[in-house]
Amino acid sequence: MPTPGTRGRRPAGSETRAAIETAARRRFAEVGYPRTTMRAVAADAGVDPRLITHFFGSKQQLFVAVVELPFDPETTFDALLTGDGADVGARLADFLLDLLENPRTRSTMLSVIRAAASEEEAASQIRELLSTRLLGPLAQRVGADQPELRAALLSSQVVGLAFARHVVGFPALRADDRSSLANLLAQVFNVYLLGGPAPSSRSRK
Amino acid sequence: MPTPGTRGRRPAGSETRAAIETAARRRFAEVGYPRTTMRAVAADAGVDPRLITHFFGSKQQLFVAVVELPFDPETTFDALLTGDGADVGARLADFLLDLLENPRTRSTMLSVIRAAASEEEAASQIRELLSTRLLGPLAQRVGADQPELRAALLSSQVVGLAFARHVVGFPALRADDRSSLANLLAQVFNVYLLGGPAPSSRSRK
């Protein structure tokens, strides 16, 4: 369907947008990302499909806009940052492994990652999701220098773990004994959140 | 095109297979993964397209089978493992960042990752590529315990960095100053290659 000429029409109000979001959230949750169509979302919301394009752009962009985080960021950060500071990496590793072991939250994460891999346009919104809503605020609250770099590296490991474990499918990442995996991840998250310059500081391009 | 009934035919010899590999390698390099077709590879190799399916399966599987590693693993491992053992993470970080800064090698890595994201069947071959040919042998040569787990975690960070930097596109991962990025990565690679149990060993599910 070609992009309609929405530029000249007065955009519908926030109620319409909210109706689309509600319908999309329900569809994505019920039938999954691949089987959700813009047409079905529009029918559920009682709007013209072109309004979805107008408000959200592509299906991927709609998905990222309405994706329900499987946790409340503020509450989660409070929990992660409470207690011994040296254990923040361990708490984050446990939190991440719990998300990946729960089929519903794992499915949400993998849908977001696959959308980013296949659609250039979705990548920027996923970047916003990770850096603005999730790991950026966490890195800032920890108070380390270069929070943007640290948040991006944390994101790279979180995305990489989900990808390696559930898309590429390394058996060692799905072993019954999760303690070794959690311990190594905990140390790595501590490096990204708390680590200073490398112990060996020999100059290198 | 439906899968042809190749089961009953006597497979062609290794020369045919080699001709297909040579043609595919050249096509992928010259026009890139998306614009390479099985039909063109078959024409270049002078074989029936169904022979490619017979020998290699899908286009993704053909790609992974013939992908030219942008370096020789054995020589690379020798270089990475020569010198101060505490600097192995730093050498690996530099090596990885060099690969990602070179447009040709970056393109190869991203093609492999995108193939894994979109095709279930390609994922297992990519797993073999990473664990059998690359990071598995490296982890084994370092001599740490649980080399499979360490290789899988290394793979997750390598794939995750390429994905976060060049697909999701975090600006902080592409900053002009690469030393901070290299330093944090170096510490993380050291954890995965050399790290023991987490310093804080409080029991946790």
Side-chain angles (χ1 to χ4, degrees), chain A residues 88-110:
Chain A
V88 62
R91 288 189 293 266
L92 183 55
D94 268 342
F95 178 68
L96 173 61
L97 292 175
D98 285 344
L99 287 180
L100 290 176
E101 283 169 12
N102 177 323
R104 195 177 69 82
T105 51
R106 177 173 67 237
S107 167
T108 300
M109 293 177 71
L110 294 178

Side-chain angles (χ1 to χ4, degrees), chain A residues 42-53:
Chain A
D44 290 353
V47 304
D48 189 301
R50 289 174 295 185
L51 270 183
I52 303 184
T53 308

Side-chain angles (χ1 to χ4, degrees), chain A residues 51-88:
Chain A
L51 270 183
I52 303 184
T53 308
H54 172 73
F55 278 120
F56 296 96
S58 70
K59 178 172 137 182
Q60 281 80 13
Q61 289 176 308
L62 175 64
F63 175 78
V64 174
V66 306
V67 61
E68 283 193 275
L69 291 178
F71 52 87
D72 172 60
E74 276 304 309
T75 312
T76 303
F77 297 159
D78 286 343
L80 290 173
L81 297 174
T82 299
D84 187 344
D87 283 335
V88 62

Side-chain angles (χ1 to χ4, degrees), chain A residues 87 90 94 98 114 116-117 120 123 127 146 156-157 160 167-169 172 180 185 187-188 192 196 200 202 204-205, chain B residues 87 90 94 98 114 116-117 120 123 127 146 149 156-157 160 167-169 180 185 187-188 192 196 200 202 204-205:
Chain A
D87 283 335
D94 268 342
D98 285 344
R114 283 185 203 272
E120 296 287 343
R127 192 172 62 237
Q146 300 181 286
S156 79
Q157 180 58 90
V167 179
V168 179
S180 300
L185 279 177
Q187 295 177 69
V188 162
Y192 285 148
S200 164
R202 57 202 182 81
R204 172 183 297 126
K205 85 164 156 67
Chain B
D87 283 335
D94 269 341
D98 285 343
R114 283 184 202 272
E120 296 288 341
R127 191 171 65 237
Q146 299 182 287
L149 174 63
S156 79
Q157 180 59 90
V167 178
V168 179
S180 300
L185 278 177
Q187 295 177 68
V188 162
Y192 285 148
S200 165
R202 57 203 182 82
R204 168 184 302 123
K205 86 163 157 67

Side-chain angles (χ1 to χ4, degrees), chain A residues 20 30 41 64 72 77 108 125 143 158-159 163-164 186 194:
Chain A
I20 294 169
E30 284 176 2
V41 171
V64 174
D72 172 60
F77 297 159
T108 300
Q125 301 215 12
V158 167
V159 167
F163 196 89
L194 311 169

